[in-house]
Amino acid sequence: MLVAPARVPATRRLAATLYGYAFLTDLVLLYPLYVLLFADTGLSVGQISSLFVLWAAAGIVLEVPSGVWADAVSRRLLLCLAPLLAAAGFALWVLLPSYPAFAVGFLLWGAGGALRSGALEALVFTELERLGAADRYARLIGRTCTAEVLGAVGSGVLAGPVFALGGYLAVGAASVVTCLLAAAVAARFPEHRQPPAAPVPSGDDDEGDDEPGWLDSLRLGLREVRADRRVRAAVLLVAAVTAIWGGLDEYTGLLAADTGMAEVGVPLLLLLVWAGMTVGGLLAPLGERLSHSGYAGLLVFAAAATAAGALLRHPAGFVLLAAAFAAFQLATVLADVRLQARITGSARATVTSLAGMATDLTIVAFYAGYGLLAGAMGNPAAFAVAVLPYLLVALWLFTGRA
C-alpha cells in the first residue's frame, strides 16, 4: 500500500518519535549496575531475588488494567506516565538505598512497564492505519526493537565512566534525566481518537461505541479474544515465541562465563548477541514475506542454533547464539505484527496487554524451570533443553492452527 505524499511527513514524525522514545526508555545507566547497588547496600541473593519477583508481579497484575485504561482514556498519556514512574523509582534507589526503597522502586518500574506495554503497539498501529500505512507497522516495530537494543548498549558503554565520576548518585541522576526526556518525547506522539460515544446498553451486544469506558474496554477486549480463534491464537503465539528466549537473554552472561572467557571478555560476547538482536529487528520487512511454514522454519533454526552454540562451550558458539537471537527477535516482531493485524475491535491495547500478561506469566514459569535445569545440568545443557518447546510451536504453525 502506498502512502499519500501529504501523509509521509506524519508517518516520519511518528517513526522518529517512536525510535527516540524506545532509545531513551532503554538508555538507563542503572541497568548494568543496579544489582551491584543492591549488593553494596548489603542485600543477600535471596533478597535480590525477591525484588525481581516483585518486579514481575507488578507487571503481571497491572498489565491488563493498564491496557484497558489506554483504550478508555489515552494511550499517549500512559506513554508519558510510564517513564515518570520509572524515574521516581530510580531516584528512590540512589537517594534512600535500602530494601524498602528498592522494593517500591521495582513496583514503580514494573507499573511503568505495564503502562507502556500494549499502549505503544496500539497507538502506533492505529495511527498508521489512519494514515493508510498499516503495512509499515512491521518495519517501524522492528526498528523500534533495534533502538531499544542500542539504548541498552549505550547504557553499558556510559555507565562505567559516569560511575567513575560520581558513583551511584551520578548514575541514578543520569537515569532519571533519560526517563524525563523519554516522557517529553512521548508527549509528541500523535493520537487521533474519536469522541466517546454513549455506553452500550446492558442488554445490547452491538459494538456501537468506538471509545468505550474502562469496563466496556475490558469486556470488548476479552470478548474479542474469546470469540475470535485467530486473535486467540495470535495472543498465544506472542507468549510462546517471546517468553523463552526473552528469559534466556538474562542468562547469557552466565553462559559466556562458562565458555572459559575471562571476565573482561564477557561483555564482548554479549555485544555480539546484542548485534544479532539488532539485525533481527531490521529484518522485519523481509520477514513479513514468510509463510506459515517459513515462520515455523525460522523458529526451528533459532532453537537449533541456540542449542548448538550453547553446547559448544566455546566463545565461538556465541556466533551461533547471535544468529539465533536475530531469528528470535525477528520472530517476536512478526508475532506482534500478526496480532495487530488480526485485532478488529476498538480495545486494541487491551488485547495486546492480554498477550503481554501471558508472556509475563510464561517468563516467570520459565525462570523457575531454568533454575532447576541449570542447577542439575549446567547452563549450556539448560540452554539446549530450554529451547525444545519451540519445536512444538513450529509444529503448531505447520498445522496452520496459529
Side-chain angles (χ1 to χ4, degrees), residues 236-247 328 331-333 335-336 359 363 390:
L236 294 175
L237 183 65
V238 168
V241 169
T242 307
I244 296 176
W245 84 271
F328 280 136
T332 297
V333 172
D336 176 52
T359 301
I363 287 178
Y390 281 114

Side-chain angles (χ1 to χ4, degrees), residues 362-384:
T362 307
I363 287 178
V364 170
F366 169 81
Y367 285 152
Y370 184 87
L372 295 174
L373 282 174
M377 315 167 85
N379 287 298
F383 262 68

Side-chain angles (χ1 to χ4, degrees), residues 29-54:
L29 272 62
L30 272 171
Y31 281 178
L33 297 172
Y34 65 79
V35 174
L36 298 179
L37 169 62
F38 301 159
D40 289 346
T41 305
L43 269 62
S44 66
V45 175
Q47 288 176 311
I48 294 174
S49 297
S50 70
L51 291 175
F52 291 153
V53 171
L54 282 175

Side-chain angles (χ1 to χ4, degrees), residues 225-401:
V225 173
R226 287 198 308 266
D228 193 328
R229 184 191 66 81
R230 297 175 71 252
V231 173
R232 186 166 60 252
V235 167
L236 294 175
L237 183 65
V238 168
V241 169
T242 307
I244 296 176
W245 84 271
L248 285 176
D249 183 40
E250 301 297 329
Y251 299 99
T252 50
L254 296 177
L255 184 67
D258 286 346
T259 64
M261 174 70 75
E263 288 185 3
V264 69
V266 168
L268 297 178
L269 294 182
L270 299 184
L271 187 61
L272 192 60
V273 174
W274 291 337
M277 293 165 62
T278 300
V279 172
L282 295 176
L283 289 176
L286 293 176
E288 282 192 290
R289 303 175 187 176
L290 290 174
S291 62
H292 265 55
S293 58
Y295 187 52
L298 180 69
L299 291 178
V300 171
F301 165 78
T306 299
L311 292 175
L312 274 178
R313 300 173 184 264
H314 189 276
F318 268 71
V319 175
L320 287 173
L321 207 66
F325 273 46
F328 280 136
Q329 182 76 286
L330 174 58
T332 297
V333 172
L334 295 179
D336 176 52
V337 170
R338 180 176 303 210
L339 174 62
Q340 298 302 325
R342 291 183 179 182
I343 298 172
T344 58
S346 60
R348 181 174 297 277
T350 302
V351 175
T352 306
S353 289
L354 286 169
M357 184 180 70
T359 301
D360 290 341
L361 288 170
T362 307
I363 287 178
V364 170
F366 169 81
Y367 285 152
Y370 184 87
L372 295 174
L373 282 174
M377 315 167 85
N379 287 298
F383 262 68
V385 173
V387 295
L388 290 178
Y390 281 114
L391 303 182
L392 297 178
V393 178
L395 181 61
W396 181 38
L397 287 163
F398 269 124
T399 64
R401 296 178 182 176

